[in-house]
Amino acid sequence: MLLEIDRINTFYGKIQALKSISLHVDPGEIVALVGANGAGKTTLLNTISGLLRARSGRILFDGQDITRRRAAQIVRAGVIHVPERRQVFGTLTVYDNLLLGAYQRYRRDGRKAVLRDMDHVFELFPRLKERRKQLAGTLSGGEQQMLAIGRGLMARPKLLLLDEPSLGLAPLIVKHLFELIASLRNEGQTVLLVEQNARAALKLADRAYVLETGRIVLEGDARELLEDPRVQAAYLGGHALAA
Ligand code: ATP
């Protein structure tokens, strides 16, 4: 197991946002985390990446206990978080945004290795290559999302956390984006993907967890969940599970 989460509880003051969450991600898997608005998906990613702290429970990553580590240490361990709403540096060029993604490893790996990885990101996202001298703030939403993912890849993550990559993007762009995420799997990249777009996420992922008001209510093979009447009713055009 690359990531193993054991019964974590996370609070905002007195409000408990995560209730005894356990899950795991194996190397090379794409695991989706689906659920409605406010279910706790972002809270879970933030707890893994150290932006929030679990009050109890344990998070193991690559054999190390990262539950109480600081965010920067968790990045160094190989967990890279691509946050919701992309958050690229708008006043920097595409090139500089990508370079910043490699900030942690630049000194260790050297310029050559980093530029080689940038070439690889440009192969995955040819649009970014065309626009490498452009300011990131002038890119379209879809291009900014690709840049955010590309910047994440520049860190050579062992685990990539993607928060709502499809948010605010047109359907055609979303389709393209999901094809790109699928191509990451072919390269052996491990991904934990948070999505409200349950259909697209379940089609793409190997396994999935369904989160509802801070708890995991269903888990299993992504294709099977896609066929599950409870999931279909709640997330693929019906009513909430609890209703
Ligand atoms: P979304 O897709 O809308 O981001 P989500 O599944 O990621 O939804 P979270 O953002 O993790 O859900 O929120 C989980 C719960 O925690 C919600 O009830 C939310 O209102 C609450 N919450 C989130 N952030 C805070 C905060 N900073 N302070 C207090 N409560 C919060």
Side-chain angles (χ1 to χ4, degrees):
M1 262 179 252
L2 184 62
L3 176 73
E4 186 181 2
I5 298 181
D6 185 25
R7 289 168 294 171
I8 56 165
N9 293 291
T10 301
F11 289 75
Y12 295 103
K14 286 187 183 153
I15 301 168
Q16 184 166 7
L18 298 182
K19 298 166 185 159
S20 195
I21 297 279
S22 296
L23 62 79
H24 71 274
V25 180
D26 288 326
E29 271 192 315
I30 296 190
V31 174
L33 200 61
V34 299
N37 236 330
K41 306 180 298 298
T42 297
T43 303
L44 179 53
L45 290 195
N46 286 346
T47 306
I48 297 169
S49 61
L51 299 174
L52 285 171
R53 187 148 288 187
R55 190 171 291 180
S56 59
R58 209 159 69 121
I59 306 176
L60 290 177
F61 178 72
D62 207 13
Q64 306 171 51
D65 188 338
I66 60 165
T67 324
R68 315 248 158 255
R69 297 244 182 114
R70 279 182 285 124
Q73 295 175 306
I74 294 171
V75 168
R76 275 199 290 278
V79 179
I80 297 293
H81 187 172
V82 178
E84 204 173 329
R85 300 186 191 283
R86 357 227 203 260
Q87 302 182 12
V88 294
F89 299 103
T91 55
L92 298 181
T93 62
V94 167
Y95 178 91
D96 285 342
N97 267 275
L98 290 174
L99 209 54
L100 269 174
Y103 175 76
Q104 293 270 0
R105 51 182 281 252
Y106 195 89
R107 215 182 276 163
R108 187 187 65 218
D109 295 349
R111 185 179 171 80
K112 254 196 187 151
V114 167
L115 291 182
R116 228 180 3 250
D117 286 352
M118 195 179 303
D119 281 340
H120 183 58
V121 169
F122 285 150
E123 272 167 36
L124 283 170
F125 307 106
R127 260 299 176 74
L128 295 183
K129 186 173 187 180
E130 285 166 27
R131 295 174 188 234
R132 63 189 179 282
K133 292 182 187 155
Q134 204 168 310
L135 296 183
T138 66
L139 299 178
S140 72
E143 289 162 353
Q144 287 191 22
Q145 185 60 64
M146 288 167 200
L147 178 57
I149 295 174
R151 188 180 58 189
L153 292 174
M154 288 297 293
R156 287 216 167 205
K158 288 183 187 150
L159 173 65
L160 191 63
L161 307 175
L162 294 181
D163 197 352
E164 297 273 5
S166 76
L167 195 75
L169 303 181
L172 213 70
I173 313 271
V174 172
K175 188 166 175 280
H176 180 52
L177 188 71
F178 275 83
E179 284 164 7
L180 285 168
I181 299 172
S183 70
L184 295 183
R185 185 215 336 250
N186 299 338
E187 302 191 345
Q189 177 67 55
T190 313
V191 178
L192 180 57
L193 167 71
V194 157
E195 263 295 336
Q196 263 185 58
N197 187 340
R199 189 185 304 274
L202 292 175
K203 276 189 183 160
L204 169 78
D206 300 299
R207 287 187 307 110
Y209 295 86
V210 179
L211 204 61
E212 210 170 89
T213 53
R215 284 184 203 283
I216 288 171
V217 291
L218 285 171
E219 61 180 276
D221 180 87
R223 294 281 161 162
E224 282 171 22
L225 286 175
L226 198 58
E227 302 298 324
D228 189 310
R230 291 167 296 179
V231 174
Q232 293 192 339
Y235 300 104
L236 307 173
H239 304 288
L241 268 186

Coordinates of all heavy atoms in Angstrom, one line a residue, residues 22-93:
S22 N -11.4 5.5 6.8 CA -10.3 4.6 6.5 C -10.3 4.3 5.0 O -11.4 4.1 4.4 CB -10.5 3.2 7.2 OG -10.4 3.4 8.6
L23 N -9.2 4.4 4.4 CA -9.1 4.1 3.0 C -7.7 3.8 2.6 O -6.8 4.0 3.4 CB -9.7 5.2 2.1 CG -9.1 6.6 2.0 CD1 -7.8 6.6 1.2 CD2 -10.1 7.5 1.4
H24 N -7.4 3.2 1.5 CA -6.1 3.0 1.0 C -5.9 3.2 -0.5 O -6.9 3.1 -1.2 CB -5.6 1.6 1.4 CG -6.2 0.5 0.6 ND1 -7.4 -0.1 0.9 CD2 -5.8 -0.1 -0.5 CE1 -7.7 -1.0 0.0 NE2 -6.8 -1.0 -0.9
V25 N -4.7 3.4 -0.9 CA -4.4 3.6 -2.3 C -3.1 2.7 -2.6 O -2.1 2.9 -1.9 CB -4.1 5.1 -2.7 CG1 -3.8 5.2 -4.2 CG2 -5.3 5.9 -2.3
D26 N -3.2 1.9 -3.5 CA -2.1 1.0 -3.9 C -1.3 1.7 -5.0 O -1.8 2.5 -5.8 CB -2.5 -0.3 -4.4 CG -3.1 -1.2 -3.3 OD1 -2.5 -1.1 -2.1 OD2 -4.0 -2.0 -3.5
P27 N 0.0 1.4 -5.1 CA 0.8 2.0 -6.2 C 0.2 1.7 -7.6 O -0.2 0.6 -7.9 CB 2.2 1.3 -6.0 CG 2.2 0.7 -4.7 CD 0.8 0.4 -4.3
G28 N 0.2 2.8 -8.4 CA -0.3 2.7 -9.7 C -1.8 2.8 -9.9 O -2.3 2.7 -11.0
E29 N -2.5 2.9 -8.8 CA -3.9 3.0 -8.9 C -4.4 4.4 -9.1 O -3.8 5.3 -8.6 CB -4.6 2.5 -7.6 CG -4.8 1.1 -7.4 CD -5.7 0.8 -6.2 OE1 -5.4 1.4 -5.1 OE2 -6.7 0.1 -6.3
I30 N -5.6 4.5 -9.8 CA -6.3 5.8 -9.7 C -7.5 5.5 -8.8 O -8.4 4.6 -9.1 CB -6.8 6.3 -11.1 CG1 -5.5 6.6 -11.9 CG2 -7.7 7.5 -10.9 CD1 -5.8 7.3 -13.2
V31 N -7.6 6.2 -7.7 CA -8.7 6.0 -6.8 C -9.5 7.2 -6.7 O -9.0 8.3 -6.6 CB -8.2 5.6 -5.4 CG1 -9.3 5.5 -4.3 CG2 -7.5 4.3 -5.4
A32 N -10.8 7.1 -6.9 CA -11.7 8.3 -6.9 C -12.5 8.4 -5.6 O -12.8 7.4 -5.0 CB -12.7 8.2 -8.0
L33 N -12.7 9.6 -5.2 CA -13.4 9.9 -4.0 C -14.6 10.8 -4.5 O -14.4 11.9 -4.9 CB -12.5 10.7 -3.1 CG -12.7 10.8 -1.7 CD1 -12.7 9.5 -1.0 CD2 -11.6 11.7 -1.1
V34 N -15.8 10.2 -4.4 CA -16.9 11.0 -4.9 C -17.9 11.3 -3.8 O -17.9 10.6 -2.8 CB -17.6 10.3 -6.1 CG1 -16.7 10.0 -7.3 CG2 -18.2 8.9 -5.7
G35 N -18.7 12.3 -4.0 CA -19.7 12.7 -3.0 C -20.2 14.1 -3.3 O -19.6 14.8 -4.0
A36 N -21.3 14.4 -2.7 CA -21.9 15.7 -3.0 C -21.1 16.8 -2.3 O -20.2 16.6 -1.6 CB -23.4 15.7 -2.4
N37 N -21.5 18.0 -2.7 CA -21.0 19.2 -2.0 C -21.0 19.1 -0.5 O -22.0 18.8 0.1 CB -22.1 20.3 -2.4 CG -21.4 21.5 -3.1 OD1 -20.2 21.7 -2.8 ND2 -22.1 22.1 -3.9
G38 N -19.9 19.4 0.1 CA -19.9 19.5 1.6 C -19.7 18.1 2.2 O -19.8 18.0 3.4
A39 N -19.5 17.1 1.4 CA -19.4 15.7 2.0 C -18.1 15.5 2.8 O -18.0 14.7 3.6 CB -19.4 14.7 0.9
G40 N -17.1 16.4 2.5 CA -15.8 16.3 3.2 C -14.6 15.9 2.3 O -13.5 15.6 2.8
K41 N -14.8 15.9 1.0 CA -13.7 15.5 0.1 C -12.5 16.3 0.2 O -11.4 15.9 0.3 CB -14.3 15.4 -1.4 CG -15.5 14.6 -1.5 CD -16.1 14.6 -2.9 CE -16.5 15.9 -3.5 NZ -17.6 16.6 -2.8
T42 N -12.7 17.7 0.1 CA -11.6 18.6 0.2 C -10.9 18.5 1.6 O -9.7 18.5 1.7 CB -12.0 20.0 -0.1 OG1 -12.6 20.1 -1.4 CG2 -10.9 21.0 0.1
T43 N -11.7 18.4 2.6 CA -11.2 18.2 4.0 C -10.3 17.0 4.0 O -9.2 17.0 4.7 CB -12.3 18.1 5.0 OG1 -13.2 19.2 4.9 CG2 -11.8 18.0 6.4
L44 N -10.7 15.9 3.4 CA -9.9 14.7 3.4 C -8.5 14.9 2.7 O -7.4 14.6 3.2 CB -10.6 13.5 2.8 CG -9.9 12.2 2.7 CD1 -9.4 11.8 4.1 CD2 -10.9 11.1 2.2
L45 N -8.6 15.5 1.5 CA -7.3 15.8 0.8 C -6.4 16.7 1.7 O -5.2 16.5 1.8 CB -7.5 16.4 -0.5 CG -8.1 15.5 -1.6 CD1 -7.9 16.2 -3.0 CD2 -7.5 14.2 -1.7
N46 N -7.0 17.8 2.2 CA -6.2 18.7 3.1 C -5.6 18.0 4.3 O -4.5 18.4 4.8 CB -7.1 19.9 3.5 CG -7.4 20.8 2.4 OD1 -6.7 20.8 1.3 ND2 -8.3 21.7 2.5
T47 N -6.3 17.0 4.8 CA -5.8 16.3 6.0 C -4.6 15.4 5.6 O -3.6 15.3 6.3 CB -6.9 15.4 6.6 OG1 -8.0 16.3 6.9 CG2 -6.4 14.8 7.9
I48 N -4.7 14.8 4.4 CA -3.6 14.0 3.9 C -2.4 14.9 3.6 O -1.2 14.5 4.0 CB -4.0 13.3 2.6 CG1 -5.1 12.3 2.8 CG2 -2.7 12.5 2.0 CD1 -5.7 11.7 1.5
S49 N -2.6 16.1 3.0 CA -1.4 16.9 2.6 C -0.9 17.7 3.8 O 0.0 18.5 3.6 CB -1.7 17.7 1.4 OG -2.8 18.6 1.6
G50 N -1.5 17.7 4.9 CA -1.0 18.4 6.1 C -1.5 19.8 6.2 O -1.0 20.5 7.1
L51 N -2.4 20.2 5.4 CA -3.0 21.6 5.5 C -4.0 21.6 6.7 O -4.2 22.7 7.3 CB -3.7 22.0 4.2 CG -2.8 22.0 3.0 CD1 -3.5 22.3 1.7 CD2 -1.7 23.1 3.2
L52 N -4.5 20.5 7.0 CA -5.4 20.3 8.2 C -4.8 19.1 9.0 O -4.1 18.3 8.4 CB -6.8 20.0 7.8 CG -7.7 21.1 7.3 CD1 -9.0 20.5 6.7 CD2 -8.0 22.1 8.3
R53 N -5.1 19.1 10.3 CA -4.6 18.0 11.1 C -5.7 17.1 11.6 O -6.7 17.7 12.1 CB -3.8 18.6 12.3 CG -3.1 17.6 13.1 CD -1.8 18.1 13.6 NE -0.8 18.3 12.6 CZ 0.4 18.7 12.9 NH1 0.8 18.9 14.1 NH2 1.3 18.8 11.9
A54 N -5.6 15.8 11.5 CA -6.6 14.9 12.0 C -6.5 15.0 13.5 O -5.4 15.0 14.1 CB -6.3 13.5 11.5
R55 N -7.6 15.0 14.2 CA -7.6 15.0 15.7 C -7.2 13.6 16.2 O -6.6 13.4 17.2 CB -9.0 15.4 16.2 CG -8.9 15.6 17.7 CD -10.2 16.3 18.2 NE -10.4 17.6 17.8 CZ -11.4 18.4 18.1 NH1 -12.4 17.9 18.9 NH2 -11.6 19.6 17.6
S56 N -7.7 12.5 15.5 CA -7.2 11.2 15.8 C -7.2 10.3 14.6 O -7.7 10.7 13.5 CB -8.2 10.6 16.9 OG -9.5 10.6 16.3
G57 N -6.6 9.1 14.7 CA -6.4 8.3 13.6 C -5.0 8.4 13.0 O -4.2 9.2 13.6
R58 N -4.7 7.6 12.0 CA -3.4 7.6 11.5 C -3.3 7.6 10.0 O -4.1 7.0 9.3 CB -2.7 6.3 12.0 CG -1.3 6.3 12.2 CD -0.9 5.2 13.2 NE -1.0 3.9 12.5 CZ -0.1 3.1 12.3 NH1 1.2 3.3 12.7 NH2 -0.3 1.9 11.7
I59 N -2.3 8.3 9.4 CA -2.1 8.3 8.0 C -0.7 7.8 7.7 O 0.3 8.4 8.1 CB -2.2 9.7 7.4 CG1 -3.6 10.3 7.8 CG2 -2.1 9.7 5.9 CD1 -3.8 11.7 7.3
L60 N -0.6 6.7 7.0 CA 0.7 6.1 6.6 C 0.9 6.3 5.1 O 0.0 6.1 4.3 CB 0.8 4.6 6.9 CG 0.8 4.1 8.3 CD1 0.7 2.6 8.4 CD2 2.0 4.7 9.0
F61 N 2.1 6.8 4.8 CA 2.4 7.0 3.4 C 3.8 6.4 3.1 O 4.8 6.8 3.8 CB 2.4 8.5 3.0 CG 2.8 8.7 1.6 CD1 1.9 8.4 0.6 CD2 4.1 9.2 1.3 CE1 2.3 8.6 -0.7 CE2 4.4 9.4 -0.1 CZ 3.5 9.1 -1.1
D62 N 3.8 5.5 2.2 CA 5.1 4.9 1.8 C 5.8 4.4 3.0 O 7.1 4.6 3.1 CB 5.9 5.9 1.0 CG 6.9 5.3 0.0 OD1 6.7 4.1 -0.2 OD2 7.8 6.0 -0.4
G63 N 5.1 3.8 3.9 CA 5.7 3.2 5.1 C 6.0 4.2 6.2 O 6.4 3.7 7.3
Q64 N 5.8 5.4 6.0 CA 6.0 6.4 7.1 C 4.7 7.0 7.7 O 3.8 7.2 6.9 CB 6.8 7.6 6.6 CG 8.1 7.3 5.8 CD 8.6 8.6 5.1 OE1 8.8 9.6 5.8 NE2 8.9 8.5 3.8
D65 N 4.8 7.2 9.0 CA 3.6 7.9 9.6 C 3.7 9.4 9.4 O 4.6 10.0 9.9 CB 3.6 7.6 11.1 CG 2.4 8.0 11.8 OD1 1.6 8.9 11.2 OD2 2.1 7.5 12.9
I66 N 2.7 9.9 8.6 CA 2.8 11.3 8.2 C 1.7 12.1 8.9 O 1.5 13.3 8.7 CB 2.7 11.6 6.7 CG1 1.4 11.0 6.1 CG2 3.9 11.0 6.0 CD1 1.0 11.5 4.7
T67 N 1.0 11.4 9.9 CA -0.2 12.1 10.5 C 0.1 13.4 11.1 O -0.7 14.3 11.0 CB -0.8 11.1 11.6 OG1 -0.6 9.8 11.2 CG2 -2.2 11.5 11.9
R68 N 1.3 13.5 11.7 CA 1.6 14.8 12.4 C 2.7 15.6 11.7 O 3.2 16.6 12.3 CB 2.0 14.5 13.9 CG 1.2 13.5 14.6 CD 0.4 14.2 15.8 NE -0.8 13.3 16.1 CZ -2.0 13.6 15.7 NH1 -2.3 14.7 15.1 NH2 -3.0 12.8 16.0
R69 N 3.0 15.2 10.5 CA 4.0 16.0 9.8 C 3.4 17.3 9.2 O 2.3 17.4 9.0 CB 4.5 15.2 8.6 CG 5.2 13.9 9.0 CD 6.6 13.9 8.7 NE 7.2 12.6 9.0 CZ 7.7 11.8 8.2 NH1 7.6 12.0 6.9 NH2 8.2 10.6 8.6
R70 N 4.4 18.2 9.0 CA 4.0 19.5 8.4 C 3.8 19.4 6.9 O 4.5 18.5 6.3 CB 5.0 20.6 8.8 CG 4.7 21.2 10.2 CD 5.6 22.3 10.5 NE 6.9 21.7 10.9 CZ 8.1 22.1 10.3 NH1 8.0 23.0 9.3 NH2 9.2 21.5 10.6
A71 N 3.1 20.3 6.3 CA 2.8 20.1 4.9 C 4.1 20.0 4.0 O 4.2 19.2 3.1 CB 1.9 21.3 4.4
A72 N 5.1 20.8 4.3 CA 6.3 20.8 3.5 C 7.0 19.5 3.6 O 7.6 19.0 2.6 CB 7.3 21.9 4.0
Q73 N 6.9 18.9 4.8 CA 7.6 17.5 4.9 C 6.8 16.5 4.1 O 7.4 15.5 3.6 CB 7.6 17.1 6.4 CG 8.4 18.0 7.3 CD 8.3 17.6 8.7 OE1 7.2 17.5 9.3 NE2 9.4 17.3 9.4
I74 N 5.5 16.7 4.1 CA 4.7 15.7 3.3 C 4.9 15.8 1.8 O 5.0 14.8 1.1 CB 3.2 15.9 3.7 CG1 3.0 15.5 5.2 CG2 2.3 15.0 2.9 CD1 1.7 15.8 5.8
V75 N 5.1 17.0 1.4 CA 5.5 17.3 0.0 C 6.9 16.5 -0.3 O 7.0 15.8 -1.3 CB 5.7 18.8 -0.3 CG1 6.4 19.0 -1.7 CG2 4.4 19.5 -0.3
R76 N 7.8 16.7 0.6 CA 9.1 16.0 0.5 C 9.0 14.5 0.4 O 9.7 13.8 -0.2 CB 10.1 16.5 1.5 CG 10.8 17.8 1.2 CD 12.1 18.0 2.0 NE 11.8 18.2 3.4 CZ 11.4 19.4 3.9 NH1 11.4 20.5 3.0 NH2 11.2 19.6 5.1
A77 N 8.0 14.0 1.2 CA 7.8 12.5 1.2 C 7.2 12.0 -0.1 O 7.3 10.9 -0.5 CB 6.9 12.1 2.3
G78 N 6.7 13.0 -1.0 CA 6.2 12.6 -2.3 C 4.7 12.8 -2.6 O 4.2 12.2 -3.6
V79 N 4.0 13.5 -1.7 CA 2.6 13.7 -1.9 C 2.4 15.1 -2.4 O 2.8 16.1 -1.8 CB 1.8 13.6 -0.5 CG1 0.3 13.9 -0.8 CG2 2.0 12.2 0.1
I80 N 1.8 15.2 -3.6 CA 1.6 16.5 -4.2 C 0.1 16.8 -4.4 O -0.6 16.0 -5.0 CB 2.4 16.7 -5.6 CG1 3.9 16.5 -5.4 CG2 2.0 17.9 -6.3 CD1 4.5 17.6 -4.6
H81 N -0.3 17.9 -3.9 CA -1.7 18.3 -3.9 C -2.0 19.3 -4.9 O -1.4 20.4 -4.9 CB -2.0 18.8 -2.5 CG -3.4 19.1 -2.2 ND1 -3.8 19.4 -0.9 CD2 -4.5 19.1 -2.9 CE1 -5.1 19.6 -0.9 NE2 -5.6 19.4 -2.2
V82 N -2.8 19.0 -5.9 CA -3.3 20.0 -6.9 C -4.7 20.5 -6.4 O -5.6 19.8 -6.5 CB -3.4 19.4 -8.3 CG1 -3.9 20.5 -9.3 CG2 -2.1 18.9 -8.7
P83 N -4.7 21.7 -5.8 CA -5.9 22.1 -5.1 C -7.1 22.5 -6.0 O -6.9 22.7 -7.2 CB -5.5 23.4 -4.3 CG -4.3 23.9 -5.1 CD -3.6 22.7 -5.7
E84 N -8.2 22.6 -5.4 CA -9.4 23.0 -6.1 C -9.2 24.4 -6.7 O -8.5 25.2 -6.1 CB -10.6 23.1 -5.1 CG -11.9 22.9 -5.7 CD -13.0 22.8 -4.6 OE1 -12.7 22.2 -3.5 OE2 -14.1 23.2 -4.8
R85 N -9.8 24.7 -7.8 CA -9.7 26.0 -8.5 C -8.3 26.4 -8.9 O -7.9 27.5 -9.0 CB -10.3 27.2 -7.6 CG -11.7 26.9 -7.2 CD -12.4 28.1 -6.5 NE -13.6 27.6 -6.0 CZ -14.7 27.5 -6.7 NH1 -14.7 27.8 -8.0 NH2 -15.8 27.0 -6.2
R86 N -7.6 25.3 -9.2 CA -6.2 25.4 -9.8 C -5.2 26.2 -9.1 O -4.1 25.7 -8.8 CB -6.3 25.9 -11.3 CG -7.8 26.1 -11.7 CD -8.1 25.5 -13.0 NE -9.2 26.1 -13.6 CZ -10.4 25.6 -13.5 NH1 -10.6 24.4 -13.0 NH2 -11.5 26.3 -14.0
Q87 N -5.4 27.5 -8.8 CA -4.4 28.3 -8.1 C -3.0 28.3 -8.7 O -2.0 28.0 -8.1 CB -4.4 27.8 -6.6 CG -5.7 27.9 -6.0 CD -5.7 27.5 -4.5 OE1 -4.7 27.4 -3.9 NE2 -6.9 27.4 -3.9
V88 N -3.0 28.5 -10.0 CA -1.7 28.8 -10.6 C -1.2 30.2 -10.3 O -2.0 31.0 -9.9 CB -1.7 28.5 -12.2 CG1 -2.0 27.1 -12.5 CG2 -2.7 29.4 -12.9
F89 N 0.0 30.5 -10.6 CA 0.5 31.8 -10.3 C 0.3 32.7 -11.6 O 1.0 32.6 -12.6 CB 2.0 31.8 -10.0 CG 2.3 31.0 -8.7 CD1 2.8 29.8 -8.8 CD2 2.0 31.6 -7.5 CE1 3.1 29.0 -7.6 CE2 2.2 30.9 -6.3 CZ 2.8 29.6 -6.4
G90 N -0.8 33.5 -11.5 CA -1.3 34.2 -12.7 C -0.3 35.1 -13.3 O -0.3 35.4 -14.5
T91 N 0.5 35.7 -12.5 CA 1.4 36.8 -13.0 C 2.8 36.2 -13.5 O 3.7 36.9 -13.9 CB 1.7 37.9 -12.0 OG1 2.2 37.2 -10.8 CG2 0.4 38.6 -11.6
L92 N 2.9 34.9 -13.4 CA 4.1 34.2 -13.9 C 3.8 33.5 -15.2 O 2.6 33.1 -15.4 CB 4.6 33.2 -12.9 CG 5.1 33.7 -11.5 CD1 5.6 32.6 -10.7 CD2 6.2 34.8 -11.7
T93 N 4.8 33.2 -16.0 CA 4.6 32.5 -17.2 C 4.3 31.0 -16.9 O 4.6 30.5 -15.9 CB 5.9 32.5 -18.1 OG1 6.9 31.9 -17.4 CG2 6.3 34.0 -18.5

